[in-house]
Amino acid sequence: LIAYFALWYIGNYYYNITNKLALRAAGGSTGFPMTIATLQLGVGCIYALFLWAAPDARSLPKVTTEDIVKMLPVAFCAAAAHASSVFALSAGAVSFGQIVKAAEPAFAAVIGVSLYKKSVSK
């Protein structure tokens, strides 16, 4: 378990440093943070499609149009949270970006309570 936490922390560290370098190369806060955030989400989508297309990776999920409509608010909020963390990295120090990223679980809890009427705990 400790190894997983260490690997997560190291991966998160390098993700933030790489993001900060990319944002600086693109002009910083006046550059293209939304473009970088969108490209990151696009690469993730392409990777997910590859996992479904690969012969032995995973089976294609059974999703109806109604399921997609139900997922749209959550997908939008997840994309907004990701864009916010990329904007935070472009606006200031990496530590400020960490604070915004740390608030994402609370943001997800608020969305779950307000959109899905689910309690966070019993």
Side-chain angles (χ1 to χ4, degrees):
L1 185 62
I2 292 171
Y4 285 127
F5 277 117
L7 288 172
W8 173 83
Y9 184 81
I10 291 168
N12 196 25
Y13 169 78
Y14 282 109
Y15 167 79
N16 287 330
I17 297 299
T18 304
N19 249 355
K20 186 66 176 181
L21 292 173
L23 288 163
R24 275 193 190 153
S29 60
T30 59
F32 303 101
M34 189 62 184
T35 303
I36 291 174
T38 304
L39 287 172
Q40 289 171 342
L41 291 175
V43 168
C45 289
I46 291 169
Y47 180 69
L49 292 172
F50 168 75
L51 286 178
W52 290 326
D56 294 332
R58 14 188 115 193
S59 60
L60 192 64
K62 306 287 189 265
V63 181
T64 65
T65 306
E66 183 180 327
D67 293 334
I68 292 173
V69 169
K70 286 181 182 178
M71 287 187 287
L72 282 176
V74 175
F76 175 77
C77 291
H82 175 70
S84 297
S85 67
V86 173
F87 277 122
L89 283 171
S90 72
V94 173
S95 58
F96 178 67
Q98 281 295 106
I99 292 169
V100 173
K101 285 179 72 176
E104 286 180 8
F107 181 71
V110 168
I111 295 302
V113 169
S114 62
L115 291 180
Y116 292 105
K117 310 296 186 231
K118 301 285 183 183
S119 64
V120 178
S121 61
K122 294 183 181 188

